[in-house]
Amino acid sequence: MRTFANITELKAAVGEHLGHTEWRQISQEQVNLFADATGDHQWIHVDVERSKEGPFGGTIAHGYLSLSLLPSLMQELIKVGGLAMGINYGLNKVRFPSPVPVGARIRAGAELVDLKGTPSGYLSSVRVTIEVEGQKKPACIAETLSLYVPAESP
């Protein structure tokens, strides 16, 4: 985990790779719970028997499940001190180049692309790449936006 004492230290890291998270396994239970939460019960995600004969040879995680893991993955990557709060501000671009087979392990790596001052705080842009262990193509590449509100001026 990269720890920054304040926004000034974070600003100095623009353009740097922030590191990688630990590997974590994606379970069928996670996929099923996500399907229940979203109403997306497509057979490639939840029908273990049918999916064995499908295009991926087994069930795969929803792309949006991978995306929904970004907040917890980001908490493993960076910590910024001197903040009143950090707010999820959105996304600029998201792609799902390859599937995540159920049972596979994933991890995230991130690069701090930009940090701009705004009237509300500092808007960061971080490119996060979710890798699948043993696969060349990443499962997800997303440019996340976070608004950091300092507790006081840096």
Side-chain angles (χ1 to χ4, degrees):
M1 174 184 288
R2 290 279 302 268
T3 301
F4 301 93
N6 52 39
I7 289 293
T8 302
E9 283 189 10
L10 184 63
K11 179 82 172 161
V14 169
E16 292 183 15
H17 194 270
L18 301 171
H20 290 93
T21 66
E22 296 294 322
W23 291 101
R24 60 172 75 175
Q25 191 167 28
I26 300 299
S27 71
Q28 187 64 54
E29 181 182 14
Q30 282 176 293
V31 172
N32 292 345
L33 290 169
F34 190 84
D36 289 343
T38 62
D40 182 355
H41 292 92
Q42 187 178 20
W43 63 271
I44 61 172
H45 303 302
V46 298
D47 190 332
V48 174
E49 290 306 312
R50 181 178 177 194
S51 68
K52 288 177 184 175
E53 304 302 322
F56 306 108
T59 51
I60 60 170
H62 304 74
Y64 286 117
L65 170 57
S66 299
L67 190 64
S68 75
L69 296 173
L70 289 182
S72 67
L73 291 166
M74 287 299 295
Q75 287 179 356
E76 285 185 44
L77 287 172
I78 67 169
K79 181 177 180 178
V80 182
L83 299 178
M85 66 179 144
I87 300 168
N88 177 3
Y89 200 78
L91 301 159
N92 277 339
K93 184 177 179 181
V94 178
R95 297 289 180 266
F96 303 110
S98 69
V100 176
V102 169
R105 293 188 339 147
I106 64 164
R107 72 174 182 177
E111 175 189 347
L112 180 59
V113 175
D114 197 14
L115 184 69
K116 294 180 182 175
T118 74
S120 302
Y122 293 85
L123 187 62
S124 74
S125 173
V126 177
R127 184 177 305 107
V128 181
T129 302
I130 298 178
E131 304 169 356
V132 179
E133 190 173 41
Q135 286 186 192
K136 287 185 179 186
K137 280 184 159 181
C140 178
I141 303 168
E143 189 173 316
T144 66
L145 302 173
S146 299
L147 182 66
Y148 294 118
V149 180
E152 55 188 60
S153 297

